[in-house]
Amino acid sequence: MAMNEPCPRFSPNCATQPQLPVGQGYDYNIKNPIAYDGPVFKSNTPWPQPVALWTAGQPVNVGFQADGAGHGGGHCQFAISYDNGKTAAIVHKVMKHCFFNGPSNSNNAEVLKYTFTLPADVPASSNAQFIWIWTNAVGGRELYTGISDITIANSGGSKSYTGKSAIYPNHAGYDTIPEFGGDYTTGLSLYDNAPNVTITSSGYTAEQPSNQKPTMSKSLEPSSSDSCETSSASPKAPDLPVIHNTAVQPLTSTDSETPSSTALSVNPTSDQGTDGECEPGDCEPGALKCNDNGSGFKICTWGKWSDGFTCVQGTVCKTSDLNSVYCGWP
C-alpha cells in the first residue's frame, strides 16, 4: 500500500505534486515495505514546498493508491512531526482493520480514504510533516510508512500538542508484531503502552520510549535558568531554533539519515543592559519574522531583532507564524 494524499515524498502517483528537488527521482517502488534495518522513511529529503494546507480543528483527508496489497488489514497510525519525522505524535489511529471494513484475508483493500479531524491544539507550522505507519495483519512481518510535507494553520495560537508517540513495529530496534492469525488484538498493547510525547513547531519535549532511537531538539522557549528576571549573573542567550532552508540543492541519496535541507544555526549575542538585567525590547526572544522584502529573515534576541539572514538566491522567505519561517521557491 502507498499513500497518495497528501502526496508523500517522492510519489509519482499523486494528482498533483511539486517539482522534484534537484538530484531526486520519483519512487516507483513506493508501495514496497520499508527495509528492516534501513531508515523508517524512504526519503529524508523534503519536497521543496508543502503539498497540503491543513487547519487545526478541521477535517482532513488521507488517501491511498487503489492498486496496493491490503494484507488483510492491520494497524495504521497517523501522526504529525515537526523535526522531519524523528519524533511524531499520533493524531488518529485505525486499529485492527485498516483498509477494510472488518476481518479479512483479502489483498484487495476496501477502504482507500480516511477523514478525521485534526486536533485543535496542533501548532501552526509551514514545515510540518504528516506520517502514515502501517503494520499488516497477514503475510510477512513488514512495515509500511509514508511522509508528506504540509503546512498547518492554527488561529488559536497553540504552542504544543501532546499525544501518543508513534511506534515502528517490525523494524530493527523495535518490537515485532506477529502475523495476526485471525486475532486482530495482536500487538495492540504496544500502541496502548506507548508514552505520551509533546511536540512543538520547533521540535519536541518528552522522554522517548525505550525502544525508540533517541533524538534531540530545542524548544523556542528559554528555560527558567536563562531568564533575566531569575538571575543576577549575566545569563546566556536563550536556546533558539535551527531554521531549515528547503530550497537549496539536496543530497543525491534518498536514503540519507540526515535531512538534506541546509540548517542555519543561530548563535546570538546577549543584548543585555548592565548588572545582568535585560533592556526592554519590542519582540519575544526566539521569535522569527521575514524581512519586509522577503529576501531573508530575522530572529529576536533579548528583545531585539537580529541582523538579517539571507535566503539562497532565487528563494524567498515564507512564514505561517512567528515561530516558523523558511526559505522556499516563490
Side-chain angles (χ1 to χ4, degrees):
M1 298 295 294
M3 190 167 53
N4 62 8
E5 180 189 3
C7 192
R9 307 166 184 173
F10 293 111
S11 173
N13 303 312
C14 304
T16 60
Q17 61 266 97
Q19 184 176 355
L20 283 170
V22 176
Q24 301 297 322
Y26 286 117
D27 181 4
Y28 292 102
N29 296 313
I30 197 166
K31 293 183 294 182
N32 290 354
I34 298 298
Y36 174 76
D37 56 355
V40 293
F41 305 109
K42 291 186 175 181
S43 176
N44 284 324
T45 301
W47 284 115
Q49 63 191 58
V51 298
L53 170 61
W54 285 4
T55 301
Q58 298 298 314
V60 295
N61 295 321
V62 179
F64 297 87
Q65 294 177 216
D67 55 352
H71 290 288
H75 308 318
C76 282
Q77 304 169 83
F78 303 98
I80 293 293
S81 175
Y82 297 99
D83 57 9
N84 204 33
K86 294 178 183 177
T87 308
I90 300 299
V91 293
H92 187 67
K93 292 190 298 184
V94 179
M95 297 286 99
K96 301 181 180 181
H97 310 300
C98 196
F99 306 122
F100 291 88
N101 293 312
S104 176
N105 287 319
S106 175
N107 256 345
N108 299 319
E110 299 170 348
V111 180
L112 296 175
K113 178 173 283 190
Y114 290 99
T115 299
F116 60 89
T117 298
L118 191 65
D121 52 345
V122 169
S125 175
S126 55
N127 290 301
Q129 298 84 42
F130 172 73
I131 294 169
W132 158 69
I133 308 164
W134 173 44
T135 303
N136 55 310
V138 176
R141 307 324 300 142
E142 297 168 334
L143 175 70
Y144 297 79
T145 69
I147 183 169
S148 306
D149 301 288
I150 65 171
T151 290
I152 297 175
N154 188 327
S155 60
S158 174
K159 300 297 184 183
S160 65
Y161 169 75
T162 299
K164 289 287 189 181
S165 176
I167 62 173
Y168 299 88
N170 302 339
H171 191 266
Y174 299 85
D175 292 293
T176 296
I177 296 179
E179 192 170 13
F180 290 11
D183 180 3
Y184 286 87
T185 65
T186 302
L188 289 183
S189 62
L190 293 178
Y191 302 89
D192 294 339
N193 294 331
N196 287 335
V197 61
T198 298
I199 55 175
T200 72
S201 58
S202 61
Y204 74 95
T205 53
E207 185 178 15
Q208 294 303 292
S210 59
N211 65 345
Q212 184 159 342
K213 301 169 185 177
T215 58
M216 290 295 291
S217 183
K218 293 288 187 182
S219 169
L220 285 176
E221 299 295 333
S223 66
S224 59
S225 62
D226 296 334
S227 172
C228 289
E229 289 79 13
T230 60
S231 175
S232 60
S234 296
K236 66 177 182 178
D239 291 327
L240 296 174
V242 173
I243 301 95
H244 293 285
N245 185 338
T246 60
V248 300
Q249 181 171 337
L251 301 175
T252 56
S253 172
T254 59
D255 289 329
S256 172
E257 285 283 2
T258 305
S260 65
S261 55
T262 295
L264 304 177
S265 181
V266 183
N267 295 308
T269 58
S270 175
D271 200 359
Q272 301 163 231
T274 59
D275 299 325
E277 294 183 359
C278 292
E279 295 178 349
D282 57 2
C283 59
E284 180 181 356
L288 308 172
K289 74 173 183 179
C290 291
N291 296 339
D292 292 340
N293 61 7
S295 63
F297 57 89
K298 297 181 178 182
I299 190 162
C300 182
T301 307
W302 292 124
K304 303 290 185 181
W305 288 110
S306 71
D307 293 335
F309 295 87
T310 304
C311 289
V312 174
Q313 184 177 4
T315 68
V316 297
C317 183
K318 299 182 179 182
T319 183
S320 63
D321 57 49
L322 287 178
N323 284 346
S324 179
V325 300
Y326 71 103
C327 297
W329 303 116

